[in-house]
Amino acid sequence: MKTSALIYLIIFGLLPVIFHYSYNIQKKILFLNFVQWPLKVEFSEPQSVGLEGTRNFYLHTDQQVKIGVWQILPRSLLNNSIPTTDEAYEAVLSNATQPVFLYMHGNSGNRASMHRLELYKLFQDLDYHVICFDYRSYGDSDVVELSEEGVVMDSKYIFEWVMKKVNGSAPVFVWGHSLGTGVSAHVLALLATENIQPAALFLEAPFNNIADELTEHPFSQLFKHLPWFHWLIVEPFYKNNLRFESDKHIVKIDCPIMILHAEDDGVIPVFLAERLYKAAIDSHGNDTDRVQMIKIDSSYGLGHKYICRYKELPSIIKT
Ligand SMILES: *[C@@H]1O[C@H](CO)[C@@H](O)[C@H](O)[C@H]1NC(C)=O
Ligand SMILES: *[C@@H]1O[C@H](CO)[C@@H](O)[C@H](O)[C@H]1NC(C)=O
Ligand SMILES: *[C@@H]1O[C@H](CO)[C@@H](O)[C@H](O)[C@H]1NC(C)=O
Ligand SMILES: *[C@@H]1O[C@H](CO)[C@@H](O)[C@H](O)[C@H]1NC(C)=O
């Protein structure tokens, strides 16, 4: 009896209060950057994780953060004249004739995580260029205080770098996954005011904002009906500017947007993506050239991470 009362007190009393007052714990739970998987990655040797025609390099952002980046060549350029220098790789990007995909990953892991590699290889096989990178404090990028603003500034810098390099020679697409949808929507909302837009934005397994995602996450189901849940768990994130309010950002974005979500996503329930979609069509109108949402049936079993295995995906992207 006594033990179970104590456990009860810890789970419903002590843990939430610690959570409420610890910005560090909130950040750790949101970004999960301490979850490093795969454990040992030779970032400088992308071929060690099975990527062909790929170079590793580093960019130093305007905030002096060193960011680890991979540039992956489209399949048709993987012949016996694969570039051997950074300059040659950059020249290929500047003379790109195939579309360029800039990928912004979700929380945990790094740019070498398995499901991410699978998507890059799909892009490569579709004959697209890929740029992917690790935000600050992920992978081999500089360890710098994590915040929404921080990862957004890193990503904004990389996006602008890509736009400058490609310089209109080919269309640039932005692809965000999971927490990366919050990052990409925030970046593009900021740049919309400067009239800088990609050809289109893909949001894979997105959520509408952190408040709803926190409330609907499976871990919260035990707590969310407690009367103090909102004050204890949700408000501190807002106060600490960990918001990722994609439903507000999407209103400002002018390029076409494609939302992809699996109905059996157990991390971000599909109705949060529907709320985001609704925010988009409420402001942009239900014009399928501007905003589209594709829900993937549970029977495919793709969940949160494996939309890259959806057999219709190549034709969706091409369209
Ligand atoms: C490799 O592919 C590129 C692009 O298709 C082409 O311009 C080049 O001539 C090819 N090089 C060789 C050695 O086949
Ligand atoms: C495009 O390719 C040509 C020929 O390889 C090269 O000389 C030129 O520098 C490239 N353009 C840019 C902007 O790098
Ligand atoms: C970018 O494109 C413009 C217009 O096509 C061209 O005038 C300019 O030289 C290009 N810049 C670079 C760095 O290649
Ligand atoms: C938007 O339009 C498409 C095509 O006309 C339709 O299939 C879809 O149900 C509409 N969405 C909403 C939310 O009305």
Side-chain angles (χ1 to χ4, degrees):
M1 244 339 249
K2 260 194 199 146
T3 335
S4 63
L6 187 63
I7 291 173
Y8 190 86
L9 203 69
I10 291 176
I11 293 180
F12 290 101
L14 192 58
L15 286 184
V17 169
I18 291 176
F19 190 81
H20 177 84
Y21 288 106
S22 172
Y23 178 48
N24 263 321
I25 293 181
Q26 293 157 23
K27 275 189 310 186
K28 284 205 159 70
I29 287 188
L30 179 62
F31 290 107
L32 292 177
N33 61 307
F34 60 93
V35 181
Q36 282 292 354
W37 195 262
L39 262 183
K40 273 214 182 311
V41 181
E42 288 297 334
F43 289 102
S44 59
E45 286 167 36
Q47 67 273 22
S48 66
V49 292
L51 290 173
E52 307 164 73
T54 303
R55 75 157 166 147
N56 178 66
F57 65 106
Y58 298 91
L59 289 174
H60 296 262
T61 73
D62 43 356
Q63 298 188 333
Q64 321 310 328
V65 181
K66 187 187 86 175
I67 298 289
V69 189
W70 282 341
Q71 177 186 347
I72 305 168
L73 297 177
R75 172 74 46 200
S76 68
L77 298 186
L78 302 188
N79 54 23
N80 45 18
S81 54
I82 292 182
T84 50
T85 62
D86 282 332
E87 292 70 28
Y89 262 97
E90 287 200 11
V92 169
L93 203 55
S94 301
N95 288 305
T97 50
Q98 301 89 345
V100 180
F101 278 70
L102 171 61
Y103 181 79
M104 299 186 188
H105 70 59
N107 65 5
S108 84
N110 52 53
R111 66 187 182 281
S113 298
M114 295 304 284
H115 60 291
R116 295 170 188 151
L117 294 175
E118 234 179 284
L119 184 62
Y120 312 152
K121 287 175 190 167
L122 176 79
F123 289 146
Q124 184 174 54
D125 288 342
L126 289 170
D127 215 26
Y128 304 147
H129 295 267
V130 184
I131 301 286
C132 57
F133 64 98
D134 276 301
Y135 315 110
R136 60 183 64 193
S137 298
Y138 286 88
D140 57 350
S141 295
D142 271 352
V143 177
V144 182
E145 179 79 8
L146 267 169
S147 62
E148 174 173 356
E149 203 211 339
V151 296
V152 165
M153 286 305 135
D154 296 343
S155 307
K156 179 169 173 280
Y157 184 86
I158 306 289
F159 174 63
E160 291 184 289
W161 182 89
V162 171
M163 292 295 274
K164 242 182 263 151
K165 283 290 160 200
V166 176
N167 191 26
S169 64
V172 175
F173 295 86
V174 174
W175 186 292
H177 173 236
S178 192
L179 190 64
T181 62
V183 179
S184 54
H186 195 157
V187 168
L188 296 188
L190 289 176
L191 286 171
T193 60
E194 297 170 37
N195 214 11
I196 302 173
Q197 296 279 352
L201 169 63
F202 287 87
L203 298 173
E204 177 193 358
F207 54 93
N208 52 335
N209 59 58
I210 276 298
D212 282 7
E213 171 54 17
L214 279 175
T215 312
E216 303 305 337
H217 194 281
F219 287 140
S220 301
Q221 297 318 298
L222 205 57
F223 302 99
K224 78 173 198 191
H225 300 294
L226 297 175
W228 54 88
F229 177 81
H230 198 268
W231 174 81
L232 212 49
I233 307 291
V234 178
E235 273 181 24
F237 274 81
Y238 263 57
K239 271 204 241 113
N240 291 328
N241 283 314
L242 300 171
R243 302 181 181 184
F244 293 101
E245 294 177 291
S246 298
D247 48 1
K248 292 196 176 147
H249 297 136
I250 207 163
V251 169
K252 300 181 186 146
I253 298 173
D254 280 326
C255 68
I257 298 164
M258 167 63 80
I259 296 174
L260 300 160
H261 213 102
E263 286 182 332
D264 60 336
D265 190 322
V267 177
I268 300 178
V270 65
F271 65 85
L272 295 187
E274 280 167 337
R275 285 184 196 167
L276 179 61
Y277 173 59
K278 185 160 184 312
I281 59 178
D282 283 352
S283 61
H284 297 309
N286 186 6
D287 170 0
T288 50
D289 290 339
R290 285 292 303 275
V291 187
Q292 274 189 52
M293 173 162 182
I294 293 179
K295 280 184 276 184
I296 301 166
D297 199 87
S298 312
S299 63
Y300 293 99
L302 301 176
H304 185 58
K305 286 186 180 171
Y306 292 103
I307 287 179
C308 56
R309 294 181 184 168
Y310 184 44
K311 62 181 190 318
E312 303 295 333
L313 189 60
S315 74
I316 292 171
I317 298 173
K318 281 182 199 154
T319 310

